[in-house]
Amino acid sequence: MRNHGFICATCGVQYPPSETPPEHCDICEDERQFVPVEGQRWTTPTQLATRHTNTFRHMAPGLMAIGTTPSFAIGQRAFLVRTPAGNVLWDCLTLLDEATIEIIEGLGGLDAIVLSHPHFFSTMADWAQAFDCPIYVHAADRDWVTVADPGIEFWEGESREILPGVDVYRLGGHFPGASVLHWSEHRVLLTGDTLLVTPDRMASFMWSYPNNIPLDAGTVESIARRLEPLDFDSAYSAFWGREILIDAKHVIEESAQRHCRAVRSE
């Protein structure tokens, strides 16, 4: 049964059912996010569905992006990875309406939902219940889960196979469990904003994106080392138009070097 709890209108994360909105949003009160100057605002799944819809866009063979229109909360997109072994949803959207369920079911349903970090947890428990599939969250980010669900698997270590050829890797940085998804057969890296593609088609590495707080050089060097074993040509980050379609591995390596030079004032 789906959760009808209140949803934070700033970050899009859902809380357990209650008669009145929560007094605080833990996600927004953290320095990696923000509370609007006018104060915390709340909505419900029903209200959201009357004002918004989800759209699907083909990005590459087997890869579709899903976004909410008009944009809601953080405005991220999710990705549907379609493989011969099954389908994986990378990151999550707050809006889950009947049209979205019907479209995804028509495309084969979901075999797993994988989250990059807490800002995109949204209504992940509702999605897992609707598609009867597990949710994979890194154990280092366990404390940020707002709605407990038996379908959540808190994976540990540095990597985890989700389906054959589809693996999640912990990079850290933005959050301790911040991760990326590697689709080896198609040489695709899905990054959320564990690293974010910039307007100049490079990558940025931030501790807080809305508050412009960069990661330190040592952490970014560690992220770059964790990416070294992965082969990929393209990288898709959390927002529309933020992707690197050619030579992405080399571009991200150069981006990490650029970032480290900048924060060291070299």
Side-chain angles (χ1 to χ4, degrees):
M1 185 173 180
R2 291 191 211 166
N3 172 24
H4 295 288
F6 284 95
I7 293 166
C8 172
T10 303
C11 71
V13 170
Q14 190 171 42
Y15 283 78
S18 59
E19 292 296 322
T20 59
E23 293 184 6
H24 305 279
C25 174
D26 295 336
I27 298 288
C28 289
E29 291 185 356
D30 179 73
E31 289 183 345
R32 283 161 287 200
Q33 181 54 14
F34 65 94
V35 176
V37 293
E38 64 270 22
Q40 199 68 60
R41 297 176 295 113
W42 300 90
T43 188
T44 66
T46 300
Q47 291 171 345
L48 185 63
T50 63
R51 302 168 186 166
H52 298 265
T53 189
N54 287 335
T55 59
F56 291 70
R57 184 180 300 175
H58 175 83
M59 305 302 296
L63 183 67
M64 298 185 75
I66 313 170
T68 300
T69 304
S71 181
F72 174 71
I74 294 175
Q76 77 272 15
R77 56 184 175 176
F79 286 91
L80 180 62
V81 180
R82 302 173 65 199
T83 83
N87 294 346
V88 175
L89 184 74
W90 170 248
D91 281 331
C92 209
L93 302 176
T94 305
L95 175 61
L96 178 63
D97 58 9
E98 294 306 315
T100 301
I101 294 173
E102 288 186 18
I103 291 170
I104 293 178
E105 288 287 10
L107 294 169
L110 295 179
D111 295 276
I113 299 169
V114 189
L115 279 301
S116 64
H117 72 293
H119 286 169
F120 301 154
F121 285 178
S122 60
T123 57
M124 61 180 182
D126 282 0
W127 284 73
Q129 291 168 17
F131 294 102
D132 191 23
C133 68
I135 308 166
Y136 293 91
V137 171
H138 196 278
D141 294 336
R142 177 194 300 267
D143 291 344
W144 292 101
V145 173
T146 55
V147 177
D149 188 89
I152 300 175
E153 180 171 332
F154 294 103
W155 65 280
E156 299 181 345
E158 304 310 307
S159 66
R160 168 66 187 262
E161 182 183 69
I162 304 301
L163 292 176
V166 181
D167 301 275
V168 61
Y169 290 85
R170 186 188 77 87
L171 300 187
H174 186 35
F175 275 83
S179 302
V180 296
L181 194 76
H182 184 228
W183 189 10
S184 57
E185 181 183 357
H186 287 246
R187 300 178 63 84
V188 167
L189 190 73
L190 304 179
T191 71
D193 59 10
T194 298
L195 57 93
L196 181 65
V197 177
T198 59
D200 67 351
R201 295 302 185 269
M202 298 287 279
S204 63
F205 307 82
M206 302 290 280
W207 188 75
S208 173
Y209 286 95
N211 299 314
N212 297 313
I213 304 173
L215 289 171
D216 64 274
T219 298
V220 173
E221 288 172 341
S222 174
I223 290 172
R225 286 194 298 270
R226 292 170 186 264
L227 286 171
E228 281 179 3
L230 306 185
D231 290 323
F232 54 94
D233 298 321
S234 57
Y236 296 83
S237 62
F239 304 102
W240 295 112
R242 299 297 187 95
E243 52 259 351
I244 303 168
L245 300 180
I246 299 172
D247 203 19
K249 182 178 176 70
H250 177 67
V251 170
I252 291 173
E253 289 172 349
E254 286 193 339
S255 299
Q257 295 167 9
R258 180 176 75 166
H259 180 101
C260 293
R261 289 195 299 270
V263 296
R264 287 175 172 147
S265 300
E266 295 176 2

